[in-house]
Amino acid sequence: MSKPTVLITGGSAGIGLEICKQFLNANYQVLNLSRRAADLTDENLIDIEVDLADRDSTALVAKKVAQDYEVSTLVHNAGVIRADLVEEVKLDDLDYLTQLHLGSAIALTQALLPGMKAVIKTVGLLILLPLIDLYCLAKAYAE
């Protein structure tokens, strides 16, 4: 039987790196999607360098991962903070952060979900995913 595969975004440092370690310790194959490789060597760790704020690059990587791996788990950990007072917020920063935090999560989920449905035996979370719409995501993000 093959190892389960988890895709983790932002696994090169900090909390994401620790998440990678925990899944490796649980005997998973770990795919790390981040701008740089994790400072970790393990035969079950595969680093895939991508800027998740780049919509086209994310779509290409998502499609390739969906074709090449049977991903059963997605952990969207990647994120950055660009703190500013509301009157100083740059709309380019808002676009960047929205793509990184929401757009890439949606793109990865859309690419991986068909394969995940085939791999996962329990469907509790999968029942909820189609019910989440963009309005809910945007409102939750604003709050």
Side-chain angles (χ1 to χ4, degrees):
M1 183 174 170
S2 64
K3 294 176 185 242
T5 300
V6 59
L7 185 149
I8 301 170
T9 66
S12 63
I15 294 170
L17 181 59
E18 186 58 34
I19 294 169
C20 287
K21 290 176 184 178
Q22 294 297 319
F23 274 99
L24 289 167
N25 289 339
N27 205 30
Y28 275 72
Q29 178 181 38
V30 174
L31 307 176
N32 168 39
L33 267 60
S34 57
R35 289 181 295 160
R36 63 184 183 281
D39 188 20
L40 178 66
T41 302
D42 190 292
E43 66 183 21
N44 293 311
L45 174 66
I46 299 168
D47 288 301
I48 302 170
E49 294 185 32
V50 61
D51 181 356
L52 295 170
D54 181 319
R55 182 173 292 170
D56 293 334
S57 296
T58 300
L60 287 172
V61 166
K63 182 179 179 181
K64 178 127 177 71
V65 167
Q67 289 172 349
D68 294 350
Y69 300 96
E70 289 185 354
V71 176
S72 62
T73 307
L74 169 62
V75 179
H76 184 51
N77 168 74
V80 297
I81 297 172
R82 292 189 176 173
D84 254 330
L85 298 174
V86 73
E87 62 266 18
E88 296 173 10
V89 169
K90 296 166 193 67
L91 293 181
D92 286 344
D93 285 347
L94 177 63
D95 292 342
Y96 179 91
L97 294 172
T98 301
Q99 173 55 33
L100 176 61
H101 296 141
L102 295 176
S104 65
I106 291 169
L108 290 168
T109 300
Q110 288 175 335
L112 298 174
L113 194 55
M116 291 173 81
K117 284 180 177 180
V119 171
I120 295 176
K121 305 297 186 255
T122 58
V123 294
L125 178 60
L126 297 179
I127 291 169
L128 295 176
L129 285 175
L131 302 177
I132 299 172
D133 63 25
L134 290 177
Y135 174 80
C136 294
L137 285 172
K139 292 303 282 187
Y141 182 73
E143 294 178 14

